[in-house]
Amino acid sequence: SNNIPQHLRIRIIHADDDIIVIDKPANLRSVPGHADSPTDTTIKLKRPSDRLTAVEAWIQAIKSIPIDDSDSYKNEYVKELLQNISTTNNLSSIPRKLEPFARYVFRNRKRLLPSHIDDEPDGGKNEPPQKKQRKDDNLAQKTKQPSMPLSLRSAADEAFSIIQRLHIPLMNLPTPTEDWESAQGQLRLLGYGDFANENNHNLSTSEKRKLLVVHRLDCQTSGVLLFARNPESASKLCKAWRERDVVQKVYLAHVMRWPPYDDQKLEEDTIELPLAASRTERIKWEVRELDDGGKPSITKWKIYKDANCSEECTTKEGAILELHPITGRTHQLRIHCAEIGSGIVGDSLYGDSPVPWDAGKPTILRLHAQMLSLRHPRSGEELTFKAPRLW
């Protein structure tokens, strides 16, 4: 973590067993992504022609299984299982996730593992129930369903691991970002989350990933960012976000021109402009009428008053707005500021004069998540977190 550039380092605001709150700097991703994916979303990406789909790569992986290399298999049944899987008529029907794959092997064990059937005490006659049971019989049937023998489960796990190792390179996936290149990754480096076990399909979700995304900030936006540290907290917080239950967000934005204040002398008002994903540009959103697919989008604004100032913080350099998003659409604040005024200073997508994006020397978008208020997912206590702006 000492090698992370100073201006891209996160700052821990609060951490407990359920949540962690940080101050995210500008031009840092909230979560990991692809190293070759441009931060400027106006750049349109095309899928490489040589990249297989997940299903195509899965089929190719099964076809390329090294059946003859029997010495490398830990379980005696693996070679037989792989050999019979590779001769399956419809390879796309073979599940690509571990648990469904193991159940698939168990259901089809007479075809896939005939030698294992011979080794079973009942000769494989203890089949899973095929008919649906009445609701009254569900509880009783749960105790009667056959369990998967450990030797068969072990063979399924090893076979799946072998196919997956062949599968992933065939998809020609983009290179993932390094940990220091995202807020979530930096938390891992600081010991707040262990991502090393993400590919261990035998672990529960909470064991795999101790940091769960509740909301995000645009890469270029700085300020307060929250992560959950267990599934229960994540579920409660996401529900609160959807229902706007005591979740209040306050942003600061620097604009050069703001007609409601400059011309009409208004110091606060509400913006209601429906938004929808752009039909022509990747990820970018636009104002669109409700009857044309637009989603209701509401932002309350007022001229920001700094505690250290006796007057409004307005100068020849423009105005600093305090923004309260009532809804949470993608790029909502950036678009609303661009539609009503000149747009936010440093914005590379919207406004009167979008700043050309330079990945080598990115500009600072003057949009900052200053404050976040919410109820703690476990105690119910109302908490408020703040992060000072740097501009």
Side-chain angles (χ1 to χ4, degrees), residues 7 89 147 183 227:
H7 69 284
N89 290 330
S147 59
F227 292 93

Side-chain angles (χ1 to χ4, degrees), residues 252 267 302-307 311-314 320-322 370 389:
L252 298 181
E267 294 196 1
K302 65 180 179 180
I303 299 298
Y304 176 62
K305 295 181 179 180
D306 193 299
E311 299 179 356
E312 292 84 351
C313 293
T314 58
I320 296 177
L321 306 176
E322 181 177 305
Q370 183 196 39
R389 63 185 173 92

Side-chain angles (χ1 to χ4, degrees), residues 241 244 247 249 270 297-300 324-328 332-333:
W241 240 264
R244 295 189 285 277
V247 174
K249 296 167 283 186
T270 300
S297 306
I298 304 171
T299 302
K300 293 184 177 181
H324 298 252
I326 306 303
T327 54
Q332 174 177 315
L333 302 181

